Amino acid sequence: MTAPHRHTDGETDQRLEAPTPSRAPGADPRGDDGGGLTGAVVVVALVSAISGLLYGYDTGIISGALLQITDEFGIGSGWEQVIAASILAGAVIGALVCSRLSERRGRRMTLLVVATIFVIGSLAASLAPDPLTLSLARVVLGFAVGGATQTAPVYVAELAPTRYRGRLVLFFQIAIGVGILIATIVGATERVDWRVAIGAAVVPSALMLGLMLRLPDSPRWLVKAGRDEDAREALERVRPAGTDVSPELSEIDELVEAERTARTSGWRGLREPWVRPALVVGCGLAIFTQLSGIEMIVYYSPTILTDNGFSDSAALRVSVALGATYLITQLIGLAIIDRVGRRRLTLITLPGAALALIVLGTFFVTGNDGDAQVPYIIATLIAFMAFTAGGIQLMGWLTGSEIYPLATREAGAAAQSASLWGTNLLITLTLLTIIDTIGTGQTFWLYAAFNIAGFVFLYRRMPELTGRSLEQIENKLSKGQFRPADFADHR
Protein backbone atom coordinates (compact mmCIF):
# COMPACT_ATOMS: atom_id res chain seq x y z
CA MET A 1 0.00 0.00 0.00
CA THR A 2 1.09 3.59 -0.39
CA ALA A 3 1.19 6.45 2.03
CA PRO A 4 1.90 10.14 1.47
CA HIS A 5 5.43 11.25 2.14
CA ARG A 6 6.17 14.91 2.74
CA HIS A 7 9.52 16.23 1.49
CA THR A 8 11.25 19.05 3.30
CA ASP A 9 10.34 21.44 0.50
CA GLY A 10 6.64 20.84 1.10
CA GLU A 11 6.02 18.54 -1.88
CA THR A 12 3.80 15.55 -1.33
CA ASP A 13 4.83 12.28 -2.91
CA GLN A 14 3.69 8.70 -2.78
CA ARG A 15 6.12 6.11 -1.47
CA LEU A 16 6.06 2.49 -0.55
CA GLU A 17 5.21 1.85 3.06
CA ALA A 18 6.39 -1.65 3.82
CA PRO A 19 3.62 -3.75 5.33
CA THR A 20 3.91 -4.56 8.98
CA PRO A 21 2.21 -7.91 9.39
CA SER A 22 1.40 -9.27 12.80
CA ARG A 23 3.70 -12.23 12.11
CA ALA A 24 6.99 -12.54 10.30
CA PRO A 25 6.80 -12.89 6.51
CA GLY A 26 6.31 -16.52 5.68
CA ALA A 27 5.07 -17.47 9.12
CA ASP A 28 2.31 -19.96 9.42
CA PRO A 29 -0.59 -18.64 11.55
CA ARG A 30 -0.35 -21.77 13.64
CA GLY A 31 3.04 -20.62 14.80
CA ASP A 32 5.28 -23.13 13.04
CA ASP A 33 6.87 -20.32 11.01
CA GLY A 34 6.76 -22.07 7.67
CA GLY A 35 7.94 -25.42 8.91
CA GLY A 36 11.37 -26.88 9.59
CA LEU A 37 14.36 -27.41 7.38
CA THR A 38 13.92 -29.69 4.40
CA GLY A 39 16.49 -31.33 2.19
CA ALA A 40 15.68 -28.86 -0.59
CA VAL A 41 16.37 -25.86 1.65
CA VAL A 42 19.67 -27.38 2.77
CA VAL A 43 20.64 -27.78 -0.90
CA VAL A 44 19.70 -24.13 -1.51
CA ALA A 45 21.99 -23.07 1.35
CA LEU A 46 24.72 -25.37 -0.01
CA VAL A 47 24.52 -23.69 -3.41
CA SER A 48 24.88 -20.29 -1.74
CA ALA A 49 27.83 -21.55 0.30
CA ILE A 50 29.55 -22.91 -2.83
CA SER A 51 29.11 -19.58 -4.60
CA GLY A 52 30.61 -17.80 -1.57
CA LEU A 53 33.49 -20.28 -1.43
CA LEU A 54 34.18 -19.69 -5.15
CA TYR A 55 34.17 -15.95 -4.53
CA GLY A 56 36.73 -16.31 -1.73
CA TYR A 57 38.83 -18.89 -3.56
CA ASP A 58 38.93 -17.20 -6.98
CA THR A 59 39.82 -13.80 -5.51
CA GLY A 60 42.28 -15.23 -2.95
CA ILE A 61 44.15 -17.77 -5.08
CA ILE A 62 45.85 -15.05 -7.11
CA SER A 63 47.79 -13.93 -4.02
CA GLY A 64 50.15 -16.93 -4.01
CA ALA A 65 49.79 -17.68 -7.72
CA LEU A 66 51.23 -14.29 -8.70
CA LEU A 67 54.66 -15.40 -7.50
CA GLN A 68 54.63 -18.28 -10.02
CA ILE A 69 52.86 -16.30 -12.77
CA THR A 70 55.46 -13.53 -12.57
CA ASP A 71 58.27 -16.02 -13.08
CA GLU A 72 56.54 -17.93 -15.91
CA PHE A 73 55.46 -14.91 -17.95
CA GLY A 74 58.35 -12.62 -16.98
CA ILE A 75 56.06 -9.73 -16.07
CA GLY A 76 56.41 -6.73 -13.76
CA SER A 77 54.17 -4.98 -11.26
CA GLY A 78 52.00 -3.41 -13.97
CA TRP A 79 50.80 -6.75 -15.30
CA GLU A 80 50.52 -8.14 -11.76
CA GLN A 81 48.03 -5.37 -10.95
CA VAL A 82 46.05 -5.98 -14.14
CA ILE A 83 45.85 -9.75 -13.52
CA ALA A 84 44.78 -9.27 -9.90
CA ALA A 85 42.31 -6.50 -10.71
CA SER A 86 40.68 -8.06 -13.79
CA ILE A 87 38.41 -10.26 -11.68
CA LEU A 88 37.14 -7.11 -9.95
CA ALA A 89 36.33 -5.38 -13.24
CA GLY A 90 34.20 -8.40 -14.11
CA ALA A 91 32.60 -8.33 -10.67
CA VAL A 92 31.35 -4.76 -11.15
CA ILE A 93 29.74 -5.76 -14.45
CA GLY A 94 28.38 -9.00 -13.00
CA ALA A 95 26.76 -7.31 -10.00
CA LEU A 96 24.92 -4.78 -12.17
CA VAL A 97 23.95 -7.15 -15.00
CA CYS A 98 22.85 -9.99 -12.73
CA SER A 99 20.73 -7.61 -10.66
CA ARG A 100 18.62 -6.93 -13.74
CA LEU A 101 18.85 -10.51 -15.02
CA SER A 102 17.61 -11.78 -11.66
CA GLU A 103 14.56 -9.53 -11.91
CA ARG A 104 13.75 -10.42 -15.50
CA ARG A 105 14.66 -14.11 -15.69
CA GLY A 106 14.55 -15.20 -12.07
CA ARG A 107 17.06 -16.11 -9.37
CA ARG A 108 17.37 -19.74 -10.52
CA MET A 109 18.19 -18.89 -14.15
CA THR A 110 20.68 -16.24 -13.03
CA LEU A 111 22.50 -18.69 -10.75
CA LEU A 112 22.57 -21.29 -13.53
CA VAL A 113 24.27 -18.71 -15.74
CA VAL A 114 26.66 -17.79 -12.92
CA ALA A 115 27.63 -21.42 -12.29
CA THR A 116 28.24 -22.01 -16.00
CA ILE A 117 30.45 -18.93 -16.21
CA PHE A 118 32.38 -20.09 -13.13
CA VAL A 119 33.19 -23.34 -15.00
CA ILE A 120 34.17 -21.57 -18.24
CA GLY A 121 36.20 -18.87 -16.52
CA SER A 122 38.12 -21.32 -14.33
CA LEU A 123 39.07 -23.48 -17.31
CA ALA A 124 40.04 -20.51 -19.47
CA ALA A 125 42.22 -18.98 -16.74
CA SER A 126 44.01 -22.26 -16.05
CA LEU A 127 44.86 -22.72 -19.75
CA ALA A 128 45.86 -19.10 -20.46
CA PRO A 129 49.05 -18.91 -22.60
CA ASP A 130 49.89 -15.28 -21.78
CA PRO A 131 49.04 -12.54 -19.25
CA LEU A 132 46.46 -10.89 -21.54
CA THR A 133 44.44 -14.08 -21.95
CA LEU A 134 44.70 -14.75 -18.21
CA SER A 135 43.40 -11.25 -17.46
CA LEU A 136 40.47 -11.64 -19.85
CA ALA A 137 39.60 -15.05 -18.36
CA ARG A 138 39.61 -13.50 -14.90
CA VAL A 139 37.22 -10.79 -16.11
CA VAL A 140 34.86 -13.65 -17.04
CA LEU A 141 35.38 -15.20 -13.61
CA GLY A 142 34.71 -11.82 -12.04
CA PHE A 143 31.34 -11.62 -13.78
CA ALA A 144 30.41 -14.85 -12.02
CA VAL A 145 31.75 -13.57 -8.68
CA GLY A 146 29.76 -10.34 -8.92
CA GLY A 147 26.64 -12.19 -10.03
CA ALA A 148 26.93 -14.69 -7.18
CA THR A 149 27.31 -12.02 -4.51
CA GLN A 150 24.28 -10.20 -5.89
CA THR A 151 21.96 -13.20 -6.36
CA ALA A 152 22.82 -16.12 -4.06
CA PRO A 153 21.99 -14.49 -0.68
CA VAL A 154 18.68 -13.19 -2.10
CA TYR A 155 17.79 -16.63 -3.44
CA VAL A 156 18.41 -18.26 -0.05
CA ALA A 157 16.49 -15.54 1.83
CA GLU A 158 13.46 -15.97 -0.43
CA LEU A 159 13.32 -19.78 -0.11
CA ALA A 160 14.33 -20.35 3.52
CA PRO A 161 11.78 -20.61 6.38
CA THR A 162 11.72 -17.42 8.44
CA ARG A 163 13.20 -18.94 11.58
CA TYR A 164 16.27 -20.21 9.68
CA ARG A 165 16.67 -17.38 7.17
CA GLY A 166 19.42 -15.39 8.91
CA ARG A 167 21.56 -18.42 9.67
CA LEU A 168 21.29 -19.82 6.16
CA VAL A 169 22.10 -16.50 4.50
CA LEU A 170 25.20 -16.24 6.71
CA PHE A 171 26.54 -19.44 5.13
CA PHE A 172 27.47 -17.29 2.14
CA GLN A 173 29.52 -14.87 4.27
CA ILE A 174 31.29 -17.66 6.15
CA ALA A 175 32.02 -19.55 2.91
CA ILE A 176 33.90 -16.53 1.56
CA GLY A 177 36.34 -16.84 4.47
CA VAL A 178 36.64 -20.59 3.92
CA GLY A 179 37.44 -19.98 0.25
CA ILE A 180 40.14 -17.45 1.09
CA LEU A 181 41.68 -19.81 3.66
CA ILE A 182 41.73 -22.74 1.21
CA ALA A 183 43.33 -20.50 -1.43
CA THR A 184 46.11 -19.41 0.93
CA ILE A 185 46.79 -23.01 2.00
CA VAL A 186 47.02 -24.14 -1.63
CA GLY A 187 49.39 -21.27 -2.39
CA ALA A 188 51.56 -21.97 0.65
CA THR A 189 52.24 -25.57 -0.37
CA GLU A 190 54.39 -24.23 -3.28
CA ARG A 191 53.93 -27.65 -4.87
CA VAL A 192 50.68 -26.93 -6.69
CA ASP A 193 51.19 -25.38 -10.11
CA TRP A 194 49.23 -22.12 -10.44
CA ARG A 195 47.29 -23.52 -13.42
CA VAL A 196 46.11 -26.50 -11.37
CA ALA A 197 45.28 -24.24 -8.42
CA ILE A 198 43.12 -21.93 -10.52
CA GLY A 199 41.59 -24.78 -12.55
CA ALA A 200 40.57 -26.66 -9.39
CA ALA A 201 37.66 -24.23 -9.03
CA VAL A 202 35.96 -26.12 -11.87
CA VAL A 203 34.97 -28.89 -9.43
CA PRO A 204 32.82 -26.81 -7.02
CA SER A 205 31.55 -24.78 -10.00
CA ALA A 206 30.27 -27.92 -11.71
CA LEU A 207 28.75 -29.12 -8.41
CA MET A 208 26.93 -25.80 -8.03
CA LEU A 209 25.59 -26.11 -11.58
CA GLY A 210 24.38 -29.66 -10.99
CA LEU A 211 22.63 -28.75 -7.74
CA MET A 212 20.92 -25.71 -9.28
CA LEU A 213 19.33 -27.91 -11.95
CA ARG A 214 17.34 -29.66 -9.19
CA LEU A 215 16.05 -26.54 -7.43
CA PRO A 216 12.93 -24.39 -7.95
CA ASP A 217 12.89 -20.67 -8.58
CA SER A 218 12.13 -18.09 -5.90
CA PRO A 219 8.39 -18.02 -5.01
CA ARG A 220 8.62 -14.25 -4.66
CA TRP A 221 9.94 -13.84 -8.20
CA LEU A 222 7.34 -16.28 -9.54
CA VAL A 223 4.55 -14.25 -7.94
CA LYS A 224 5.99 -11.06 -9.45
CA ALA A 225 6.00 -12.80 -12.83
CA GLY A 226 2.30 -13.68 -12.41
CA ARG A 227 3.00 -17.40 -11.98
CA ASP A 228 1.11 -18.02 -8.75
CA GLU A 229 0.65 -21.76 -9.26
CA ASP A 230 4.36 -22.21 -9.94
CA ALA A 231 5.06 -20.21 -6.79
CA ARG A 232 2.83 -22.55 -4.78
CA GLU A 233 4.59 -25.59 -6.21
CA ALA A 234 7.99 -24.08 -5.43
CA LEU A 235 7.00 -23.41 -1.81
CA GLU A 236 5.61 -26.92 -1.43
CA ARG A 237 8.92 -28.35 -2.67
CA VAL A 238 10.94 -26.57 0.01
CA ARG A 239 8.53 -26.94 2.94
CA PRO A 240 7.85 -30.14 4.92
CA ALA A 241 5.24 -32.45 3.41
CA GLY A 242 1.72 -31.46 4.38
CA THR A 243 2.55 -27.83 5.24
CA ASP A 244 -0.18 -25.37 4.27
CA VAL A 245 1.74 -22.77 2.23
CA SER A 246 -1.31 -20.55 1.60
CA PRO A 247 -0.58 -18.04 4.41
CA GLU A 248 3.04 -17.64 3.27
CA LEU A 249 1.94 -17.27 -0.34
CA SER A 250 -0.64 -14.68 0.70
CA GLU A 251 1.97 -12.54 2.44
CA ILE A 252 4.27 -12.76 -0.58
CA ASP A 253 1.32 -11.52 -2.67
CA GLU A 254 0.83 -8.55 -0.32
CA LEU A 255 4.51 -7.56 -0.42
CA VAL A 256 4.76 -7.90 -4.19
CA GLU A 257 1.59 -5.86 -4.72
CA ALA A 258 2.86 -3.13 -2.39
CA GLU A 259 6.12 -3.02 -4.31
CA ARG A 260 4.34 -3.00 -7.68
CA THR A 261 2.15 -0.01 -6.79
CA ALA A 262 4.88 2.09 -5.22
CA ARG A 263 6.09 5.17 -7.07
CA THR A 264 9.40 5.20 -5.24
CA SER A 265 10.88 2.02 -6.65
CA GLY A 266 13.88 0.58 -8.45
CA TRP A 267 16.83 2.65 -9.62
CA ARG A 268 14.72 5.79 -10.03
CA GLY A 269 13.68 5.52 -6.41
CA LEU A 270 17.30 5.83 -5.28
CA ARG A 271 17.31 9.42 -6.58
CA GLU A 272 14.47 10.44 -4.28
CA PRO A 273 15.70 12.97 -1.65
CA TRP A 274 14.28 10.95 1.25
CA VAL A 275 16.08 7.76 0.08
CA ARG A 276 19.40 9.47 -0.56
CA PRO A 277 20.73 9.31 3.05
CA ALA A 278 20.50 5.50 2.94
CA LEU A 279 22.31 5.43 -0.40
CA VAL A 280 25.08 7.69 0.92
CA VAL A 281 25.59 5.54 4.02
CA GLY A 282 25.39 2.25 2.10
CA CYS A 283 27.76 3.20 -0.71
CA GLY A 284 30.06 5.10 1.66
CA LEU A 285 30.31 2.05 3.88
CA ALA A 286 31.03 -0.17 0.85
CA ILE A 287 33.81 2.17 -0.28
CA PHE A 288 35.47 2.35 3.14
CA THR A 289 35.17 -1.43 3.47
CA GLN A 290 37.68 -1.64 0.62
CA LEU A 291 39.73 1.43 1.57
CA SER A 292 40.36 -0.29 4.90
CA GLY A 293 43.29 -2.01 3.16
CA ILE A 294 42.11 -5.59 3.47
CA GLU A 295 42.34 -6.24 -0.27
CA MET A 296 45.88 -4.90 -0.22
CA ILE A 297 46.67 -7.67 2.26
CA VAL A 298 44.57 -10.45 0.67
CA TYR A 299 45.89 -9.93 -2.87
CA TYR A 300 49.39 -8.62 -2.39
CA SER A 301 50.78 -9.62 1.01
CA PRO A 302 53.14 -12.29 -0.46
CA THR A 303 54.33 -9.83 -3.11
CA ILE A 304 54.84 -7.02 -0.58
CA LEU A 305 56.66 -9.28 1.86
CA THR A 306 58.95 -10.92 -0.74
CA ASP A 307 59.81 -7.48 -2.16
CA ASN A 308 60.91 -6.53 1.36
CA GLY A 309 63.21 -9.46 2.02
CA PHE A 310 60.87 -12.29 3.08
CA SER A 311 61.40 -15.66 1.44
CA ASP A 312 58.60 -17.03 -0.76
CA SER A 313 57.88 -19.78 1.78
CA ALA A 314 57.68 -17.37 4.72
CA ALA A 315 55.45 -14.95 2.80
CA LEU A 316 53.06 -17.72 1.79
CA ARG A 317 52.88 -19.07 5.35
CA VAL A 318 51.97 -15.59 6.54
CA SER A 319 49.15 -15.61 3.97
CA VAL A 320 47.76 -18.79 5.52
CA ALA A 321 47.84 -17.20 8.97
CA LEU A 322 46.02 -14.16 7.58
CA GLY A 323 43.42 -16.36 5.85
CA ALA A 324 42.78 -18.27 9.08
CA THR A 325 42.51 -14.99 11.00
CA TYR A 326 40.00 -13.68 8.46
CA LEU A 327 37.76 -16.71 8.88
CA ILE A 328 38.00 -16.93 12.68
CA THR A 329 37.34 -13.24 13.30
CA GLN A 330 34.44 -13.25 10.81
CA LEU A 331 32.84 -16.06 12.80
CA ILE A 332 33.42 -14.17 16.06
CA GLY A 333 32.02 -10.98 14.55
CA LEU A 334 28.94 -12.74 13.24
CA ALA A 335 28.38 -14.29 16.67
CA ILE A 336 28.48 -10.99 18.55
CA ILE A 337 27.22 -8.43 16.03
CA ASP A 338 23.59 -8.49 17.20
CA ARG A 339 24.64 -8.04 20.82
CA VAL A 340 27.32 -5.40 20.28
CA GLY A 341 25.56 -3.59 17.42
CA ARG A 342 26.58 -2.90 13.83
CA ARG A 343 27.61 0.72 14.37
CA ARG A 344 29.35 0.07 17.68
CA LEU A 345 31.34 -2.92 16.40
CA THR A 346 32.50 -0.95 13.36
CA LEU A 347 33.56 2.08 15.39
CA ILE A 348 35.38 -0.08 17.96
CA THR A 349 37.42 -2.00 15.38
CA LEU A 350 38.32 0.77 12.88
CA PRO A 351 40.77 2.54 15.22
CA GLY A 352 42.50 -0.80 15.87
CA ALA A 353 42.93 -1.36 12.13
CA ALA A 354 44.28 2.17 11.66
CA LEU A 355 46.76 1.77 14.53
CA ALA A 356 47.99 -1.57 13.14
CA LEU A 357 48.67 0.03 9.75
CA ILE A 358 50.48 2.96 11.39
CA VAL A 359 52.72 0.51 13.27
CA LEU A 360 53.33 -1.52 10.09
CA GLY A 361 54.24 1.59 8.18
CA THR A 362 56.63 2.67 10.92
CA PHE A 363 58.50 -0.66 10.72
CA PHE A 364 59.21 -0.14 7.03
CA VAL A 365 59.80 3.65 7.04
CA THR A 366 62.33 3.46 9.88
CA GLY A 367 64.14 0.47 8.38
CA ASN A 368 63.13 -1.85 11.22
CA ASP A 369 62.01 -4.59 8.83
CA GLY A 370 64.91 -7.02 9.24
CA ASP A 371 64.90 -10.58 10.53
CA ALA A 372 64.68 -9.49 14.15
CA GLN A 373 61.43 -7.62 13.52
CA VAL A 374 59.76 -10.33 11.41
CA PRO A 375 57.66 -11.77 14.29
CA TYR A 376 56.41 -8.27 15.19
CA ILE A 377 55.55 -7.47 11.56
CA ILE A 378 53.60 -10.71 11.24
CA ALA A 379 51.80 -10.12 14.54
CA THR A 380 50.82 -6.62 13.43
CA LEU A 381 49.54 -7.92 10.08
CA ILE A 382 47.41 -10.49 11.92
CA ALA A 383 46.11 -7.81 14.30
CA PHE A 384 45.12 -5.65 11.32
CA MET A 385 43.31 -8.58 9.70
CA ALA A 386 41.47 -9.37 12.94
CA PHE A 387 40.24 -5.80 13.44
CA THR A 388 39.18 -5.42 9.81
CA ALA A 389 37.65 -8.83 9.07
CA GLY A 390 35.77 -8.89 12.38
CA GLY A 391 34.50 -5.34 11.99
CA ILE A 392 33.83 -3.27 8.90
CA GLN A 393 34.11 -6.25 6.54
CA LEU A 394 30.91 -7.69 8.01
CA MET A 395 28.98 -4.54 7.17
CA GLY A 396 29.62 -4.21 3.44
CA TRP A 397 27.16 -6.95 2.46
CA LEU A 398 24.91 -6.90 5.53
CA THR A 399 23.67 -3.32 5.30
CA GLY A 400 22.61 -3.66 1.65
CA SER A 401 19.70 -5.81 2.76
CA GLU A 402 18.68 -3.53 5.61
CA ILE A 403 18.87 0.19 4.98
CA TYR A 404 16.96 0.67 1.73
CA PRO A 405 13.16 0.93 1.40
CA LEU A 406 11.54 -2.29 0.23
CA ALA A 407 10.82 -1.14 -3.33
CA THR A 408 14.40 0.13 -3.88
CA ARG A 409 16.18 -2.61 -1.94
CA GLU A 410 17.46 -4.61 -4.90
CA ALA A 411 18.64 -1.51 -6.76
CA GLY A 412 20.26 -0.16 -3.60
CA ALA A 413 22.07 -3.43 -2.93
CA ALA A 414 23.29 -3.49 -6.55
CA ALA A 415 24.55 0.10 -6.31
CA GLN A 416 26.29 -0.75 -3.04
CA SER A 417 27.90 -3.87 -4.58
CA ALA A 418 29.09 -1.88 -7.59
CA SER A 419 30.61 0.74 -5.25
CA LEU A 420 32.40 -1.98 -3.32
CA TRP A 421 33.75 -3.77 -6.39
CA GLY A 422 34.63 -0.51 -8.15
CA THR A 423 36.69 0.71 -5.19
CA ASN A 424 38.33 -2.70 -4.94
CA LEU A 425 39.22 -2.50 -8.64
CA LEU A 426 40.78 0.95 -8.26
CA ILE A 427 42.84 -0.15 -5.27
CA THR A 428 44.09 -3.33 -6.91
CA LEU A 429 45.04 -1.50 -10.13
CA THR A 430 47.07 1.14 -8.32
CA LEU A 431 48.49 -0.42 -5.15
CA LEU A 432 51.85 -1.73 -6.42
CA THR A 433 52.37 1.50 -8.37
CA ILE A 434 51.73 3.53 -5.21
CA ILE A 435 54.19 1.34 -3.28
CA ASP A 436 56.83 1.82 -6.01
CA THR A 437 56.21 5.58 -5.94
CA ILE A 438 56.00 6.45 -2.24
CA GLY A 439 57.28 3.31 -0.50
CA THR A 440 55.78 0.39 1.42
CA GLY A 441 55.61 2.08 4.81
CA GLN A 442 54.09 5.25 3.45
CA THR A 443 51.44 3.20 1.65
CA PHE A 444 50.46 1.56 4.94
CA TRP A 445 50.15 5.04 6.44
CA LEU A 446 47.94 6.13 3.53
CA TYR A 447 45.53 3.28 4.21
CA ALA A 448 45.62 4.07 7.93
CA ALA A 449 44.39 7.54 6.96
CA PHE A 450 41.56 5.95 4.96
CA ASN A 451 40.52 4.01 8.09
CA ILE A 452 40.49 7.22 10.12
CA ALA A 453 38.40 8.94 7.43
CA GLY A 454 36.04 5.95 7.44
CA PHE A 455 35.66 6.24 11.22
CA VAL A 456 34.76 9.93 10.95
CA PHE A 457 32.28 9.31 8.12
CA LEU A 458 30.53 6.40 9.84
CA TYR A 459 30.52 8.12 13.25
CA ARG A 460 28.67 11.06 11.71
CA ARG A 461 26.40 9.25 9.23
CA MET A 462 25.80 5.59 10.13
CA PRO A 463 22.87 4.98 12.52
CA GLU A 464 22.67 1.91 14.77
CA LEU A 465 20.40 -0.47 12.84
CA THR A 466 20.69 -3.40 15.24
CA GLY A 467 17.37 -4.28 16.83
CA ARG A 468 15.35 -2.26 14.33
CA SER A 469 12.89 -3.96 12.03
CA LEU A 470 13.09 -3.15 8.32
CA GLU A 471 9.81 -1.25 8.66
CA GLN A 472 11.18 0.86 11.54
CA ILE A 473 14.31 1.70 9.53
CA GLU A 474 12.21 2.71 6.53
CA ASN A 475 9.89 4.80 8.71
CA LYS A 476 12.85 6.72 10.16
CA LEU A 477 14.23 7.26 6.69
CA SER A 478 10.89 8.58 5.39
CA LYS A 479 10.77 11.14 8.23
CA GLY A 480 14.26 12.42 7.46
CA GLN A 481 15.54 10.92 10.72
CA PHE A 482 18.54 8.88 9.52
CA ARG A 483 21.34 10.31 11.63
CA PRO A 484 22.90 8.35 14.52
CA ALA A 485 21.16 10.58 17.10
CA ASP A 486 17.76 9.71 15.63
CA PHE A 487 18.29 6.05 16.53
CA ALA A 488 19.90 6.61 19.93
CA ASP A 489 16.65 6.22 21.84
CA HIS A 490 16.36 2.58 20.86
CA ARG A 491 19.44 1.15 22.56
Side-chain angles (χ1 to χ4, degrees):
M1 57 184 169
T2 57
H5 169 69
R6 176 126 353 233
H7 295 295
T8 53
D9 59 6
E11 268 185 55
T12 300
D13 189 15
Q14 295 292 115
R15 72 173 197 91
L16 170 67
E17 187 70 50
T20 311
S22 58
R23 57 188 186 276
D28 190 292
R30 295 167 300 179
D32 64 11
D33 217 14
L37 280 178
T38 62
V41 171
V42 171
V43 173
V44 170
L46 180 60
V47 165
S48 176
I50 292 172
S51 66
L53 183 143
L54 286 167
Y55 161 24
Y57 185 84
D58 283 329
T59 54
I61 196 64
I62 202 66
S63 176
L66 273 177
L67 299 179
Q68 296 183 36
I69 292 169
T70 300
D71 292 338
E72 180 173 329
F73 291 148
I75 57 176
S77 60
W79 266 115
E80 287 182 65
Q81 290 177 147
V82 171
I83 291 170
S86 54
I87 198 169
L88 306 173
V92 175
I93 300 169
L96 294 174
V97 171
C98 288
S99 171
R100 296 185 180 275
L101 183 63
S102 174
E103 282 297 288
R104 294 180 181 179
R105 299 296 180 184
R107 315 330 183 194
R108 179 177 180 272
M109 179 59 70
T110 302
L111 287 173
L112 283 171
V113 170
V114 163
T116 302
I117 293 176
F118 265 129
V119 172
I120 295 171
S122 299
L123 284 174
S126 68
L127 299 173
D130 53 59
L132 176 59
T133 307
L134 177 58
S135 298
L136 292 174
R138 281 176 59 78
V139 171
V140 174
L141 264 178
F143 183 96
V145 167
T149 58
Q150 185 63 35
T151 312
V154 174
Y155 182 62
V156 176
E158 292 181 349
L159 278 169
T162 301
R163 70 173 74 169
Y164 298 107
R165 185 172 297 148
R167 280 169 281 179
L168 294 180
V169 171
L170 288 179
F171 280 0
F172 179 82
Q173 180 88 34
I174 294 168
I176 294 172
V178 173
I180 291 173
L181 178 58
I182 293 173
T184 58
I185 293 172
V186 170
T189 64
E190 297 186 87
R191 297 178 182 177
V192 181
D193 183 80
W194 71 268
R195 295 182 184 276
V196 175
I198 290 176
V202 169
V203 176
S205 302
L207 176 59
M208 177 182 170
L209 179 59
L211 291 173
M212 278 305 308
L213 291 171
R214 302 174 52 198
L215 293 173
D217 213 324
S218 157
R220 182 177 179 275
W221 181 82
L222 291 169
V223 169
K224 286 184 71 173
R227 297 165 55 183
D228 287 17
E229 283 306 310
D230 290 338
R232 179 178 292 276
E233 290 178 12
L235 274 178
E236 288 174 346
R237 285 181 60 184
V238 296
R239 297 292 179 262
T243 299
D244 180 10
V245 299
S246 296
E248 187 171 357
L249 196 60
S250 176
E251 290 196 354
I252 292 173
D253 273 322
E254 290 177 20
L255 290 170
V256 169
E257 182 60 27
E259 184 176 340
R260 185 181 291 124
T261 56
R263 291 188 186 179
T264 303
S265 62
W267 289 91
R268 289 185 179 181
L270 294 179
R271 295 197 293 266
E272 292 288 334
W274 70 277
V275 179
R276 199 172 299 144
L279 185 66
V280 169
V281 171
C283 291
L285 179 58
I287 290 168
F288 281 112
T289 295
Q290 302 309 295
L291 289 177
S292 67
I294 193 164
E295 304 307 339
M296 165 177 65
I297 302 302
V298 169
Y299 294 145
Y300 291 131
S301 59
T303 301
I304 293 170
L305 293 174
T306 54
D307 286 349
N308 285 277
F310 282 62
S311 68
D312 286 3
S313 297
L316 291 170
R317 285 196 295 271
V318 171
S319 289
V320 174
L322 293 173
T325 303
Y326 181 99
L327 177 58
I328 292 169
T329 52
Q330 283 255 301
L331 290 171
I332 293 172
L334 289 170
I336 66 174
I337 190 170
D338 285 326
R339 281 175 285 178
V340 177
R342 289 144 176 72
R343 170 183 161 86
R344 187 179 301 173
L345 183 62
T346 306
L347 296 181
I348 287 172
T349 53
L350 272 176
L355 179 61
L357 288 175
I358 291 170
V359 172
L360 275 172
T362 303
F363 278 126
F364 289 99
V365 169
T366 60
N368 290 304
D369 54 349
D371 291 343
Q373 283 74 39
V374 166
Y376 304 106
I377 292 173
I378 294 173
T380 311
L381 276 169
I382 290 173
F384 165 77
M385 180 63 80
F387 282 120
T388 306
I392 194 171
Q393 289 302 308
L394 293 172
M395 310 305 162
W397 302 116
L398 179 61
T399 54
S401 63
E402 293 182 329
I403 65 174
Y404 302 105
L406 177 62
T408 64
R409 195 161 293 147
E410 293 210 26
Q416 193 164 324
S417 294
S419 299
L420 187 148
W421 290 119
T423 308
N424 197 342
L425 172 63
L426 180 63
I427 291 168
T428 311
L429 274 174
T430 59
L431 180 69
L432 295 182
T433 300
I434 292 173
I435 289 175
D436 291 342
T437 303
I438 67 175
T440 302
Q442 291 84 345
T443 302
F444 284 132
W445 284 351
L446 175 63
Y447 278 87
F450 289 150
N451 277 273
I452 294 169
F455 177 90
V456 173
F457 171 81
L458 295 172
Y459 179 82
R460 296 180 61 184
R461 301 298 295 264
M462 181 181 176
E464 180 56 83
L465 305 178
T466 304
R468 295 277 185 177
S469 70
L470 299 182
E471 291 77 25
Q472 288 173 326
I473 294 170
E474 182 170 344
N475 187 47
K476 285 281 191 182
L477 187 64
S478 70
K479 294 177 180 178
Q481 299 174 347
F482 206 68
R483 292 280 183 167
D486 299 322
F487 286 70
D489 62 317
H490 185 70
R491 291 188 63 83

